Amino acid sequence: MGSRIGVGLLGLGTVGGGVASILLSPDERHPLVADLDLVRVAVRDLARPRPVDLAADILTTDPGDVVNDPAVDVVVEVIGGIEPARSLILQAISSGKSVVTANKAVIARHGQEIAEAAAAAGVYVLIEAAVGGGIPIIEPLKQSLGGNRINRVSGIINGTTNYILTRMADEGAAYDAVLRDAQDLGYAEADPAADVDGLDAADKIAILSTLAFGGAVERSAVPTEGISQLQGVDVDYARRLGYGVKLLAVAERMAETGDPLPLSLRVQPTLVPTDHPLAGVNGVNNAILVEGDPIGRVMFYGPGAGAGPTASAVVADILNIAGIRHASDAPGHIDPLLAAGTWRNCALVEASKIRQRHYVRFNTKDAPGVIGRIGGCFGDRNVSIQSIVQFNASQAGAEIVVITHEVSQGEMDAALQAIEALPEVSGLAAHLGCL
Amino acid sequence: MGSRIGVGLLGLGTVGGGVASILLSPDERHPLVADLDLVRVAVRDLARPRPVDLAADILTTDPGDVVNDPAVDVVVEVIGGIEPARSLILQAISSGKSVVTANKAVIARHGQEIAEAAAAAGVYVLIEAAVGGGIPIIEPLKQSLGGNRINRVSGIINGTTNYILTRMADEGAAYDAVLRDAQDLGYAEADPAADVDGLDAADKIAILSTLAFGGAVERSAVPTEGISQLQGVDVDYARRLGYGVKLLAVAERMAETGDPLPLSLRVQPTLVPTDHPLAGVNGVNNAILVEGDPIGRVMFYGPGAGAGPTASAVVADILNIAGIRHASDAPGHIDPLLAAGTWRNCALVEASKIRQRHYVRFNTKDAPGVIGRIGGCFGDRNVSIQSIVQFNASQAGAEIVVITHEVSQGEMDAALQAIEALPEVSGLAAHLGCL
């Protein structure tokens, strides 16, 4: 029933600084914050100026000093990346310490190994900060929705791309120009690949899927498409048809059940109807929609990144460990809801079986009957169409935009192949998802 | 470390039936649901047909059988109302049982007494279902936002009134007609007072305020105004000025701090800018916005009522008690985050000190200079105006709508008094809040 909790920090960058700043100013926060002692902090360079005032003797350049310090009860890992983060987390666990991490890359790839080590050691590895920045989403999924059969988790879970898409939509601006601007403003990294190619969102949806469905899937197999190929013209056409374009991450169970449970995961630029709750999520905000039975549909919305929000999530996890320590000091006895171990096998379905609506744009000759022939190709392959619209007809040709009803990827691919073989069609110019 | 949890139900109406139905079909839900045994159920009439199939020997008409049954670990109270709910909850606590309740009325009025009894007995009283239906909001406030200094909690927390307001806005329909329709559809009670007069929302905001700020306020002193006086013309004018009208519940701390911490609570029809996250919350949905430092602004959105969503919240609470039981079987040692005791004194400020923006509509003579004279009265009392617009001028007179910047209720009242004394002004026809 020890009431004080020793916290060790691995990393004192933006998020680490935010965490330290909360721990050092407990006033007006939950009284349990005052029970958290920041006892050891690993930094890369002792001489660098700090955002917070820390006693020199708690700083070290050796992360091993933090994970092995007997005064440290909870290790907070905010250095990011795969290694040495993974090894340090495992080392902390084997020293009997709980871990709080904001590291989606390591959890998406090595979450199972880490969870098993934690279960064996009887400690917690908590990850609220790994998805959705400050938005409480991990904890609600683990502790508030357990009575439900979850059917789908979907959302906007990358702030950088949502900032870019929001500006493309608002200003009619081109992707490249907005990206440069976002880099200047610090919203995008100098190497933006992890964000704009959808890799960060894929890490996060793999994590949410594991929690929602109780089993992990192979992260590297998640179909992932970013926004770097997205053209302004499709954002414009989508708007005219009543949709916004968002980089959407989706994890859903298929209609049939089974062991392993078949799941469809994907990250893809997706048309969202303007009256859908996710359509109004703009700028660097994130939102996650959870659909289940009997709850229906709930959404969690807020700042998806930033020092303050992410630090709020890290401190929430530390507080949960501190709180449960009051209820039990019996080592090895853990709350299975908070620990969130997996409890069934899940597997990704083949890409051809993924079902959704599609948006496609074709460049065509402006020839009579082309809409009919395209429509016919879809119909022949069982692809039912919601709308087919011609834009921008000129001597050079026309653009034809089709929005389908829900179909399998396999049926869609077959139809597209037939359409691209039509003499009037010069090419498939865009292919996006559609809610 | 007992792994099975005996659940006793007080009430088998809509919500109780939903809870029973989840407990009796654990498949595909969190595996901990399978550890919950429904052992005793109190109903009013044994002969009545049930929504779920229950063994006859677990039914009783005496609620005392449930709260005193040694096989019951957790008592679920879903009978509603103040008595006998309050007494049964206290009796369950004194028998050493944890309680899960959806009863906002009893928690808003007797929450302090109940919390003290629970703390003394070392048991939990969990209330996720009391606010926001299925939306996880209580748990995130208690367990995910504790690192923050909360500044404001606001939201749409009554589904019936939001349904009525949504239809008034969409159809330009009158309040009375929509209310009758809502009653026919089962969205409003035959006696709709608790909903349309704002009392239900006031109960809920008092509960959220206690959790957000760590201390209770006097429920009966919360300024509360419902929608029964709201006129369609103001919904229309608001729309033309770029706002929707929502029944908003707000709890916020004042700029200055103190002991007791001064808070402003209110329930009131309020103009919400159309680009505000709360503006898109329609129908029977609810949403709660939490603002704090350093998190910024997070929003929780979903179905605010209904058997399924509310049952989801009740089962979440039971699961949390079951989960923590795995970590500790030491009686009396409780997790202070989950228990959510109060930790400071709070008090409502006088109504005259509440600061917000206002929307007012005056009936006036269509005389030259009347806008100037009204503007002058506001200026003289330090009320700064954002817009002043004349609608509907005719021989009979004109309507003048004013939206102010943020001012205190006291300054606003002084200005209104002066304006109503103007010979050109025949009356104050509407007075709403404004975000």
Side-chain angles (χ1 to χ4, degrees):
Chain A
M1 239 51 57
S3 73
R4 302 209 66 80
I5 300 281
V7 177
L9 256 182
L10 298 173
L12 195 62
T14 317
V15 176
V19 172
S21 140
I22 293 177
L23 299 186
L24 298 177
S25 64
D27 262 21
E28 307 265 343
R29 312 187 194 279
H30 192 285
L32 215 47
V33 176
D35 290 351
L36 309 178
D37 295 319
L38 186 56
V39 292
R40 212 89 175 92
V41 179
V43 297
R44 200 173 298 169
D45 175 2
L46 288 173
R48 214 151 118 193
R50 311 273 155 229
V52 283
D53 222 16
L54 294 176
D57 61 343
I58 76 167
L59 293 176
T60 171
T61 55
D62 179 3
D65 288 349
V66 175
V67 297
N68 295 318
D69 189 332
V72 169
D73 299 298
V74 179
V75 171
V76 175
E77 184 275 303
V78 285
I79 47 179
I82 305 296
E83 286 292 354
R86 174 183 151 277
S87 301
L88 289 167
I89 289 171
L90 291 170
Q91 209 180 325
I93 291 169
S94 74
S95 311
K97 303 181 192 311
S98 286
V99 173
V100 171
T101 178
N103 191 329
K104 51 241 162 201
V106 81
I107 295 298
R109 283 166 190 76
H110 303 285
Q112 200 64 16
E113 175 190 20
I114 290 169
E116 281 162 18
V123 298
Y124 297 96
V125 174
L126 302 188
I127 60 168
E128 184 63 73
V131 183
I135 306 170
I137 175 62
I138 301 292
E139 179 117 45
L141 263 182
K142 294 192 310 191
Q143 302 198 278
S144 305
L145 299 173
N148 291 274
R149 173 189 192 266
I150 304 294
N151 295 316
R152 185 187 288 114
V153 179
S154 56
I156 296 165
I157 50 181
N158 179 271
T160 303
T161 49
N162 202 50
Y163 173 83
I164 293 173
L165 292 175
T166 301
R167 288 201 45 196
M168 285 176 74
D170 288 353
E171 303 163 22
Y175 168 78
D176 290 326
V178 180
L179 173 60
R180 272 194 305 276
D181 224 27
Q183 287 170 321
D184 291 344
L185 289 164
Y187 291 149
E189 307 282 337
D191 175 4
D195 291 317
V196 302
D197 292 343
L199 308 175
D200 173 80
D203 285 349
K204 291 168 177 169
I205 196 67
I207 293 171
L208 293 177
S209 176
T210 304
L211 292 171
F213 299 110
V217 295
E218 179 56 40
R219 159 68 186 88
S220 61
V222 175
T224 303
E225 198 190 321
I227 63 165
S228 53
Q229 303 305 312
L230 183 69
Q231 295 175 55
V233 62
D234 293 301
V235 176
D236 180 43
Y237 291 168
R239 185 185 51 76
R240 294 204 231 168
L241 294 167
Y243 298 86
V245 178
K246 297 293 182 186
L247 184 64
L248 210 72
V250 178
E252 61 188 349
R253 56 186 299 159
M254 309 300 289
E256 69 277 16
T257 188
D259 180 18
L261 182 73
L263 298 179
S264 156
L265 269 72
R266 58 187 181 270
V267 173
Q268 173 187 35
T270 302
L271 273 67
V272 178
T274 45
D275 61 354
H276 189 282
L278 290 172
V281 178
N282 290 320
V284 294
N285 286 306
N286 280 195
I288 299 105
L289 197 63
V290 181
E291 294 166 76
D293 175 49
I295 199 171
R297 195 155 87 159
V298 287
M299 189 175 81
F300 303 84
Y301 164 94
T310 310
S312 161
V314 167
V315 174
D317 282 345
I318 307 175
L319 286 175
N320 271 288
I321 294 167
I324 212 158
R325 200 61 96 71
H326 279 264
S328 166
D329 59 359
H333 292 145
I334 58 175
D335 177 341
L337 281 190
L338 189 62
T342 54
W343 43 273
R344 70 174 155 196
N345 299 312
C346 295
L348 293 175
V349 296
E350 291 166 44
S352 67
K353 291 191 177 163
I354 295 179
R355 294 185 65 82
Q356 66 168 334
R357 296 173 68 207
H358 295 260
Y359 163 104
V360 283
R361 172 166 57 89
F362 302 102
N363 290 328
T364 69
K365 294 179 188 151
D366 187 19
V370 60
I371 284 191
R373 296 200 61 185
I374 288 175
C377 287
F378 278 122
D380 293 346
R381 273 79 184 176
N382 273 324
V383 175
S384 159
I385 287 174
Q386 186 204 289
S387 68
I388 178 162
V389 179
Q390 176 173 309
F391 286 100
N392 248 355
S394 72
Q395 276 193 317
E399 292 180 310
I400 291 179
V401 167
V402 179
I403 294 179
T404 73
H405 286 297
E406 188 179 295
V407 294
S408 75
Q409 186 71 48
E411 291 164 327
M412 188 68 188
D413 287 344
L416 291 178
Q417 209 175 354
I419 292 166
E420 290 191 76
L422 292 175
E424 301 92 335
V425 172
S426 43
L428 175 64
H431 186 176
L432 311 174
C434 182
L435 273 193
Chain B
M1 234 56 52
S3 73
R4 302 210 65 82
I5 300 280
V7 177
L9 258 182
L10 297 174
L12 195 62
T14 317
V15 176
V19 172
S21 140
I22 293 177
L23 299 186
L24 298 177
S25 64
D27 262 21
E28 308 265 341
R29 312 186 194 280
H30 192 283
L32 216 46
V33 176
D35 290 350
L36 310 178
D37 295 320
L38 186 56
V39 293
R40 212 89 176 94
V41 179
V43 298
R44 199 171 301 167
D45 175 2
L46 288 173
R48 211 150 121 195
R50 309 273 156 230
V52 283
D53 222 15
L54 294 175
D57 62 343
I58 76 168
L59 293 176
T60 171
T61 54
D62 179 2
D65 288 348
V66 175
V67 298
N68 295 317
D69 189 330
V72 168
D73 299 298
V74 179
V75 171
V76 175
E77 184 275 302
V78 284
I79 47 180
I82 305 295
E83 284 294 353
R86 174 184 151 277
S87 301
L88 289 167
I89 289 171
L90 291 170
Q91 209 179 325
I93 291 169
S94 74
S95 311
K97 302 181 193 310
S98 286
V99 173
V100 172
T101 177
N103 191 329
K104 51 240 160 204
V106 80
I107 295 297
R109 284 167 189 75
H110 302 285
Q112 200 65 15
E113 176 190 19
I114 290 169
E116 280 162 19
V123 298
Y124 298 97
V125 174
L126 302 188
I127 58 170
E128 184 64 72
V131 182
I135 307 170
I137 174 61
I138 301 291
E139 180 116 44
L141 263 182
K142 293 192 309 192
Q143 300 198 279
S144 305
L145 299 173
N148 292 274
R149 173 189 192 266
I150 305 294
N151 294 317
R152 183 186 290 113
V153 179
S154 56
I156 296 166
I157 50 180
N158 179 272
T160 304
T161 48
N162 202 50
Y163 172 84
I164 293 172
L165 292 175
T166 301
R167 288 201 48 194
M168 286 176 74
D170 288 353
E171 303 164 21
Y175 167 78
D176 290 326
V178 181
L179 172 61
R180 271 194 306 273
D181 225 27
Q183 287 170 321
D184 290 344
L185 289 164
Y187 292 148
E189 307 281 338
D191 174 5
D195 292 316
V196 302
D197 291 343
L199 308 174
D200 173 80
D203 285 349
K204 291 169 176 169
I205 196 68
I207 292 171
L208 293 177
S209 176
T210 304
L211 292 171
F213 299 109
V217 296
E218 179 57 39
R219 159 66 187 88
S220 61
V222 176
T224 303
E225 198 189 321
I227 64 164
S228 53
Q229 303 305 312
L230 183 68
Q231 295 176 55
V233 62
D234 292 301
V235 176
D236 180 44
Y237 291 168
R239 185 184 53 75
R240 294 203 230 169
L241 295 167
Y243 298 85
V245 178
K246 298 292 183 187
L247 183 65
L248 210 72
V250 178
E252 61 189 347
R253 56 187 296 160
M254 308 301 286
E256 68 277 13
T257 189
D259 180 19
L261 182 74
L263 298 179
S264 155
L265 270 72
R266 58 186 183 272
V267 172
Q268 174 187 36
T270 302
L271 273 66
V272 178
T274 46
D275 60 355
H276 189 282
L278 289 173
V281 177
N282 291 320
V284 293
N285 287 305
N286 280 194
I288 300 104
L289 198 62
V290 182
E291 294 166 76
D293 177 47
I295 199 171
R297 194 155 88 158
V298 287
M299 189 175 82
F300 304 84
Y301 165 93
T310 310
S312 163
V314 167
V315 175
D317 281 345
I318 307 174
L319 285 175
N320 271 288
I321 293 167
I324 212 156
R325 200 61 96 73
H326 279 263
S328 167
D329 58 0
H333 291 146
I334 57 174
D335 177 341
L337 281 189
L338 189 62
T342 53
W343 43 274
R344 70 174 155 197
N345 298 313
C346 295
L348 293 175
V349 297
E350 290 167 44
S352 68
K353 292 191 176 163
I354 294 180
R355 295 184 64 82
Q356 65 169 333
R357 297 172 66 207
H358 295 258
Y359 163 104
V360 283
R361 172 167 57 90
F362 302 102
N363 289 327
T364 69
K365 294 179 189 151
D366 187 19
V370 60
I371 284 191
R373 295 199 63 183
I374 288 175
C377 287
F378 278 122
D380 292 346
R381 273 78 183 176
N382 271 324
V383 175
S384 159
I385 287 174
Q386 187 205 285
S387 68
I388 179 162
V389 179
Q390 176 173 308
F391 286 100
N392 248 355
S394 73
Q395 276 194 318
E399 292 180 309
I400 291 178
V401 166
V402 179
I403 293 180
T404 73
H405 287 297
E406 189 178 295
V407 294
S408 75
Q409 186 71 49
E411 290 163 328
M412 188 68 190
D413 287 345
L416 291 177
Q417 208 175 356
I419 291 165
E420 291 191 77
L422 292 175
E424 301 92 334
V425 171
S426 42
L428 174 63
H431 185 176
L432 311 174
C434 183
L435 275 193

